[in-house]
Amino acid sequence: GDRTVYPDLLEQHSSLQRSQLITRLRKCSSTPYAMKSQYKTGEVIDHSAFGLGLVLNSETDRINVIFPEIDGHRTLIQNYAE
């Protein structure tokens, strides 16, 4: 089915404190991260190592995600074909 995107969180994330962003992300509907999947800007993903993250930018084969629990950004692969 269609996954939820959070445009309000995209607009507000840079003005939120880290703890506030973590709290907000926990209230969102999240999708487990997998390299073969595809994600949209504004979607919340759940990464096994980095925790909950907000997709800031989605390109064909990669996403840029902010992960407040590790206080960092990561570029992750998407649409990976074996």
Side-chain angles (χ1 to χ4, degrees):
D2 254 5
R3 301 198 291 251
T4 310
V5 294
Y6 297 93
D8 54 325
L9 210 46
L10 273 177
E11 283 180 22
Q12 297 163 11
H13 79 88
S14 53
S15 61
L16 294 173
Q17 291 176 8
R18 200 163 71 104
S19 59
Q20 293 174 309
L21 183 53
I22 291 171
T23 301
R24 293 282 299 275
L25 289 179
R26 285 182 179 151
K27 293 176 183 168
C28 294
S29 168
S30 64
T31 305
Y33 168 73
M35 286 194 305
K36 293 179 183 175
S37 297
Q38 182 172 4
Y39 305 94
K40 297 179 190 146
T41 301
E43 201 170 327
V44 177
I45 65 170
D46 190 356
H47 191 285
S48 56
F50 305 142
L52 292 173
L54 178 66
V55 179
L56 299 181
N57 188 38
S58 178
E59 297 170 34
T60 308
D61 60 350
R62 69 196 62 189
I63 49 176
N64 182 257
V65 188
I66 182 171
F67 290 103
E69 291 174 55
I70 60 159
D71 201 14
H73 291 73
R74 293 289 184 276
T75 299
L76 304 175
I77 294 168
Q78 69 168 353
N79 284 325
Y80 181 78
E82 306 249 14

